[in-house]
């Protein structure tokens, strides 16, 4: 590594965002595309790095996220939680071609085993940028929603909920697929789903009731997407016992973030929106500097 300008990549499963970073951490330029790891073959990465450098400059590259997983370019071992930023930075791996990969974090607890790649960079970035206190709960909605508990500026525990993936599976491959049309939105149907989700122990029964309600004319099919989304997100949120009366730092934007904010507030929490892109840039720069 050097102390000059560099390229940082938040490389996810379906998308990636590329940042041209100045040596002082200022983002000079960024772009987002759909070249996530699922769109890449293992043999394509060298050419991809060359193409990125043609657009952004011949700089070192540091990448975080699924690029360092078994589905990505090179599998990099996880660091173990609890963990602080300096330990994560020590484990950044030089993979050749002047490309460095951030390792990700594992929770090695029987019954609560979990892993993440990329989300930890955003959390540490929010902390490094002073956007959040040293103690708190983060929510990072997505296909696999992350709940991350931070204490004393280090990641203590985390949990992954397959909420988004379950919604997608129900929408595309289940008996509910003909009912789930359109996009979920905040409104009476979503609120009804949140209310129904409070009895989280019978979620699988409640989901089928959405189909029956449409068939029997008790619910319009245009409401089913929001109702089902409300039940799934509501169940995800209701599973936490540390939301009521507390701040939840929401590392997301857009419609999904709005749905989670509604669910968190319904559960008695206070959402504090945090810029996920600014957090990633601050986190990757702190890791880059610490790893020098």
């Amino acid at each position: 590594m050097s102390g000059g300008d560099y390229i940082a990549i938040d490389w996810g499963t379906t998308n990636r965002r590329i940042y041209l970073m100045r040596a002082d951490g200022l983002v000079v330029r960024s772009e987002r595309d759909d070249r996530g790891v699922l769109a890449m073959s293992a043999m394509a990465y060298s050419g991809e790095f060359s193409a990125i450098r043609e657009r952004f400059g011949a700089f070192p590259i540091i990448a975080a996220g699924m690029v360092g997983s078994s589905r990505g370019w090179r599998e990099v071992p996880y660091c173990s939680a609890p963990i602080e930023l300096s330990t994560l930075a020590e484990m950044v791996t030089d993979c050749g071609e002047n490309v460095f990969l951030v390792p990700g974090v594992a929770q090695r607890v029987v019954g609560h085993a979990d892993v993440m790649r990329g989300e930890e960079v955003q959390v540490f970035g929010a902390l490094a940028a002073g956007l959040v206190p040293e103690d708190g709960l983060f929510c990072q909605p997505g296909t696999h929603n992350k709940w991350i508990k931070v204490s004393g500026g280090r990641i203590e525990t985390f949990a992954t909920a397959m909420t988004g993936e379950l919604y997608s599976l129900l929408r595309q491959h289940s008996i509910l697929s003909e009912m789930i049309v359109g996009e979920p939105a905040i409104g009476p149907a979503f609120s009804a789903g949140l209310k129904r989700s409070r009895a989280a122990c019978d979620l699988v029964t409640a989901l089928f009731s959405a189909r029956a309600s449409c068939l029997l004319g008790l619910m319009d099919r245009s409401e089913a997407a929001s109702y089902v989304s409300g039940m799934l997100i509501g169940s995800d949120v209701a599973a936490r016992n540390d939301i009521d009366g507390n701040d939840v730092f929401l590392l997301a934007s857009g419609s999904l973030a709005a749905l989670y904010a509604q669910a968190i507030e319904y559960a008695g929490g206070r959402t504090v929106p945090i810029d996920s892109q600014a957090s990633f840039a601050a986190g990757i720069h702190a890791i880059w500097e610490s790893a020098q």
Side-chain angles (χ1 to χ4, degrees):
M1 295 184 182
S2 68
D5 296 351
Y6 63 98
I7 297 166
I9 307 176
D10 185 1
W11 210 320
T13 302
T14 56
N15 301 292
R16 70 179 177 187
R17 188 175 290 274
I18 307 168
Y19 301 81
L20 177 58
M21 307 286 294
R22 262 191 3 198
D24 61 2
L26 178 68
V27 177
V28 178
R29 172 187 167 195
S30 70
E31 68 177 41
R32 182 180 183 276
D33 59 32
D34 60 357
R35 297 286 287 167
V37 299
L38 293 183
M40 303 284 297
S41 68
M43 301 299 293
Y45 281 94
S46 290
E48 199 70 20
F49 293 135
S50 296
I52 290 170
R53 286 179 170 128
E54 286 179 6
R55 300 197 304 277
F56 286 82
F59 300 114
I61 293 174
I62 182 170
M66 292 299 288
V67 65
S69 73
S70 60
R71 300 293 298 270
W73 179 44
R74 303 278 175 81
E75 186 172 9
V76 178
Y78 292 103
C79 298
S80 295
I83 189 171
E84 54 193 21
L85 184 144
S86 60
T87 303
L88 187 72
E90 289 173 4
M91 297 299 292
V92 169
T93 301
D94 183 348
C95 292
E97 303 185 43
N98 211 14
V99 177
F100 306 87
L101 298 184
V102 180
V105 181
Q107 185 168 269
R108 307 177 196 274
V109 180
V110 175
H112 299 280
D114 214 324
V115 293
M116 62 180 170
R117 291 190 186 272
E119 293 89 355
E120 72 286 345
V121 177
Q122 293 182 16
V123 169
F124 282 131
L127 289 163
L131 301 176
V132 297
E134 290 191 336
D135 303 291
L137 175 66
F138 288 83
C139 177
Q140 292 169 281
T143 302
H144 299 141
N145 179 43
K146 298 288 185 184
W147 299 97
I148 302 176
K149 192 79 170 179
V150 172
S151 178
R154 70 176 189 172
I155 293 173
E156 291 287 342
T157 61
F158 61 97
T160 304
M162 295 176 60
T163 315
E165 184 170 0
L166 287 174
Y167 179 81
S168 179
L169 290 170
L170 289 170
R171 183 173 188 168
Q172 297 177 42
H173 303 295
S174 80
I175 199 169
L176 298 179
S177 61
E178 63 179 301
M179 278 74 182
I180 303 178
V181 294
E183 295 300 322
I186 292 174
F190 184 77
S191 296
L194 291 179
K195 184 177 180 180
R196 185 66 178 83
S197 73
R198 301 306 291 179
C201 60
D202 74 337
L203 176 62
V204 290
T205 301
L207 286 170
F208 188 82
S209 75
R211 172 177 171 80
S213 294
C214 290
L215 291 174
L216 298 174
L218 301 175
M219 178 191 299
D220 191 278
R221 293 193 182 200
S222 65
E223 299 176 319
S226 296
Y227 182 69
V228 170
S229 177
M231 283 196 289
L232 289 172
I233 293 175
S235 295
D236 183 359
V237 172
R240 304 288 308 185
N241 61 6
D242 52 1
I243 288 178
D244 190 13
N246 295 315
D247 291 333
V248 179
F249 301 103
L250 194 60
L251 271 165
S253 60
S255 58
L256 184 58
L259 295 175
Y260 264 89
Q262 181 89 350
I264 289 166
E265 289 163 11
Y266 181 80
R270 297 179 297 270
T271 55
V272 181
I274 305 295
D275 188 322
S276 58
Q277 292 183 45
S279 295
F280 178 84
I284 205 72
H285 186 66
I287 292 169
W288 178 257
E289 285 198 314
S290 185
Q292 297 284 341

